[in-house]
Structures are given as structure tokens and as C-alpha cells.
Amino acid sequence: MKSTKKQPCLKRMKPFIGVVFLQFGYAGMDILSKAALNKGMSNYVLVVYRHVFAFVVMAPFALILEKKVRPKMTFSIFMKIVALSFLEPVIDQNLYFLGMKYTTATFAVSMYNVLPAITFVMAFILRLEKIKIKSRRSQAKVVGTLATVAGAMVMTLIKGPVLNLFGIHGSNPHNPQHGGVNLQHAIKGSVMITIGCFSCACFMILQALTIEAYPAELSLTAWICLFGTVEGGIVALIMERRNLSVWSLKWDTKLLAAVYSGIVCSGMAYYIQGAVMKTRGPVFVTTFNPLCMVIVAIMGSFFLAEQISLGRVIGAIVIILGLYLVVWGKSNDYESPCPTTKEHTLPDKQTVDESNSIEEHSNHEVISLSNLGAGNIARDEQV
């Protein structure tokens, strides 16, 4: 009995564990990628190497584990994969890294938090998200999505007094969010990151649609990484045609950033996103995106002795409350498979049993009638 109760609980927790793991992975990627870009690495080359490592790692798993379940490739699925590889690996990542070059890693992360709102609106327009204005759960989804974005903006824009939490004394009196960022560069970076958010939202929606026709997450991930390498390589060769030295890699931060972001934030991220979207949809995945800022703030306070201001704490609380509202609002949208199967199988068994009892009863009546008829015939013969 205990094992049967634990299984549905684990199934319900898997999507939450997956999306939280993604945010931890993205937090590490932002730090490593910014360090590599500051050392002169080309963002176009970083995108190419990132998907090379992702494809090399994910392709063997796709070939072995999904050999029997991989559906046939059709022209429609092929074109969707090509579009997916262009939307996220090429457009989104290059614009995100370019925006990070012009600003800072923290500024880029904070700007990227408009992604849940964009994805929510697009999913609603395409009828992938259920919204009933009079329903409390639908209202909670809308308010929760806006709250996560608002909380991220509060963490970015509002400082407030410095708090001494967990006995940690911050040693960095300067605000790293805006230090050294030119206003003109900030505007350029904001525009690039915003366009990248629209591209990523389109990627999420299209991935959710592609998963329905091609339900093989590992294989789809490998295809996206392969075509992302090809398409990103063409863009990189055009943009860096006069500087071929940018393709060289050494045992330094550049290589670490490419390997880490490729395996964790491309290969594993595409797979986890696809698996979660099967049951929870694209809005659920993107709603947890602002959680990355909370993780960065906590990790920075512990490992980098960064100051924690009141604005960051308030923003983090608003983000967590917003996530709770979204999760509560979407709890009825995607029911767990166990209860539904029971609800369907029990009536079926009842109808089968009832039909069998009816048949047995009717057969019994036929036999009794036939016996009665035989008895009447015997009596007539005796007379």
C-alpha cells in the first residue's frame, strides 16, 4: 500500500523537480557565459560549440533508449525541428548573449523574466492554455504570472536597506546590476534580450506542439542540437569570417562555459522541457524562470558574500507567491493519470459484470423455458 501511494506522489513531483533543476542550471550558465564573453569569446562561436557538446552527449541516449518508440520522420515534423533549431539555438541564444555583452549577467537575467508573460499570452491565443475569467483558478494563473514578473522587476530595480541574513556580512558595497553599463548599451541590450524572449516563447509553444506529433524527447533534443549546430555554424561563419582565431579553444573558462551550457542548458534542458510539457504545458515551464534570480541572489550571498537588500527579499517573496498561485491555478488543468484511469475502468468493469449477469440470467431463462417446453411435450406424448 505504501509503494502504491508513493508512486503518484513522485509522478506529481517530477515536473517541479525538473523545472527547479533547470533554474539552477541556468544560474550557473549565466555566470560562466558572462566570464567567457568578458575574455573575448564570440557569442556566435559559443552557441555553436554549446550545441556540438549537447549533440555529442544526447545522441547516444536517443539512439539506444528510444530505438523502439521513435516515430517516423515526416516532412511536417522535419520543418518544425528546423524552425525550433532556428528560434532558440540561433536567434534567442545569440541575442541573449549579445544583450549580456552590452549589459551585465544580472541585468540580462532580470530582463529575461518577461518570458512567462509572453508565453502565457501566446499560449492563450493559440488555445494551449485554459482561461475562464470567472474561475478562481484561472484568475490565480493570471495574477500569479504577473506576480512572478513583478517580483523579478522589484529584485532588479528596488534596493532598500541592506539586511544581515544568516549572519552573512556583504563585502561588496557597489550594486553589480548597473555598474559599468552605459545607457546606450543598456537600451541595445534590452531590445536584443526582449526580441530573444519572443523567440524563446515561440520555441516553447512550437516544442509543445511538436512533442504531440513526435513523442520522443531525447530524439527531438538530439535533432534540435544537430540542426542548431548547423544553422548556428552558418551564422557564425558569416559574422566571424574575418576573425577565424575565435574558433580556438583552450583549457580555460571558454571551454568550461561551452561544455556546461551545452550539456546542462541545451541538451538536458530541451529534454526536461519536452517531458514536462507533455503533462503541464509550456506556461508551467516558463513560469519558474524568475526563480533563477532568487537562486542567484542566495548563492551570491553565501559564496560571494554579496549584500542582500530589502528589495531583493521582497521580490523573492513575491516571486514565490506568484509561483504558488500559478501552480494552484493549473492543478485542475492536468490531472494525474492514476485517478482518471480508475474512474474509467471501474464503470467499464461494472458494465461488463452487469452485461455478463444479464446474459447469464437470460440464458438461465432460456434453459428453464426449454426444459418447461420439453416437459410439456413429454406430457402430451403420455396423454
Side-chain angles (χ1 to χ4, degrees):
M1 295 293 293
K2 291 183 179 180
S3 60
T4 57
K5 291 182 179 179
K6 288 181 180 179
Q7 289 179 356
C9 182
L10 290 174
K11 288 182 179 179
R12 292 179 182 178
M13 291 301 297
K14 281 182 180 179
F16 298 96
I17 296 172
V19 291
V20 172
F21 172 79
L22 286 181
Q23 300 311 315
F24 275 98
Y26 289 143
M29 181 203 70
D30 290 324
I31 297 172
L32 289 175
S33 299
K34 181 59 178 177
L37 294 173
N38 288 341
K39 290 190 175 182
M41 188 175 190
S42 170
N43 59 282
Y44 304 104
V45 175
L46 176 59
V47 169
V48 175
Y49 282 136
R50 171 176 174 171
H51 291 91
V52 168
F53 289 114
F55 175 75
V56 170
V57 172
M58 301 302 293
F61 291 99
L63 290 173
I64 297 172
L65 299 178
E66 294 182 343
K67 183 179 181 180
K68 297 181 180 180
V69 299
R70 188 185 306 110
K72 293 182 179 180
M73 180 66 67
T74 62
F75 180 76
S76 175
I77 296 174
F78 177 79
M79 294 305 298
K80 289 178 180 178
I81 293 175
V82 173
L84 286 171
S85 306
F86 188 72
L87 285 171
E88 216 281 325
V90 179
I91 298 178
D92 175 42
Q93 291 183 20
N94 277 309
L95 289 178
Y96 180 75
F97 288 142
L98 278 174
M100 187 183 292
K101 267 187 174 181
Y102 282 110
T103 58
T104 63
T106 308
F107 186 86
V109 172
S110 62
M111 281 295 301
Y112 212 74
N113 287 311
V114 299
L115 177 62
I118 298 173
T119 307
F120 187 89
V121 173
M122 293 182 65
F124 173 70
I125 294 173
L126 296 174
R127 297 181 179 179
L128 295 177
E129 189 67 26
K130 302 175 184 178
I131 297 295
K132 296 180 181 178
I133 300 176
K134 296 182 179 180
S135 174
R136 290 184 178 180
R137 293 187 180 271
S138 295
Q139 294 172 359
K141 287 190 287 186
V142 176
V143 174
T145 303
L146 296 176
T148 56
V149 178
M153 295 298 104
V154 169
M155 288 187 69
T156 306
L157 301 176
I158 298 178
K159 297 180 184 179
V162 178
L163 303 178
N164 184 17
L165 299 177
F166 312 110
I168 299 173
H169 299 275
S171 59
N172 185 10
H174 302 287
N175 185 13
Q177 297 174 1
H178 305 287
V181 179
N182 193 343
L183 179 60
Q184 186 177 1
H185 288 174
I187 295 174
K188 287 182 180 179
S190 301
V191 173
M192 291 178 179
I193 295 171
T194 304
I195 297 174
C197 286
F198 276 98
S199 180
C200 185
C202 294
F203 173 84
M204 293 289 182
I205 299 296
L206 185 57
Q207 186 181 12
L209 297 174
T210 307
I211 283 291
E212 296 180 358
Y214 195 79
E217 295 88 353
L218 288 172
S219 300
L220 181 61
T221 298
W223 281 116
I224 294 174
C225 294
L226 176 61
F227 283 101
T229 301
V230 175
E231 296 172 6
I234 295 173
V235 174
L237 289 173
I238 295 173
M239 300 302 295
E240 302 290 351
R241 60 185 179 275
R242 297 180 181 178
N243 187 15
L244 298 178
S245 61
V246 296
W247 292 92
S248 63
L249 286 178
K250 298 179 181 179
W251 294 95
D252 56 4
T253 309
K254 297 180 182 179
L255 178 62
L256 180 60
V259 173
Y260 176 87
S261 60
I263 297 175
V264 177
C265 301
S266 285
M268 297 180 67
Y270 296 158
Y271 168 71
I272 294 174
Q273 287 173 186
V276 174
M277 285 178 187
K278 272 188 172 182
T279 56
R280 299 287 176 170
V283 175
F284 181 86
V285 177
T286 57
T287 301
F288 283 77
N289 198 67
L291 189 61
C292 183
M293 284 196 68
V294 181
I295 297 171
V296 171
I298 295 174
M299 293 177 64
S301 63
F302 275 99
F303 299 105
L304 302 177
E306 292 183 352
Q307 293 178 342
I308 299 179
S309 62
L310 181 61
R312 283 193 170 188
V313 175
I314 295 175
I317 294 173
V318 173
I319 289 173
I320 294 172
L321 292 176
L323 290 175
Y324 175 79
L325 287 175
V326 173
V327 171
W328 180 78
K330 292 178 68 65
S331 59
N332 283 354
D333 291 350
Y334 307 97
E335 296 289 345
S336 58
C338 296
T340 55
T341 53
K342 288 181 180 179
E343 291 174 0
H344 289 293
T345 53
L346 285 176
D348 292 339
K349 289 181 179 179
Q350 291 176 358
T351 53
V352 171
D353 294 335
E354 290 174 1
S355 62
N356 290 334
S357 62
I358 292 172
E359 289 179 0
E360 291 175 0
H361 182 67
S362 62
N363 291 334
H364 179 69
E365 290 180 352
V366 170
I367 292 171
S368 62
L369 288 173
S370 61
N371 293 333
L372 180 61
N376 292 331
I377 292 172
R379 290 176 184 175
D380 294 337
E381 288 177 353
Q382 290 177 358
V383 174

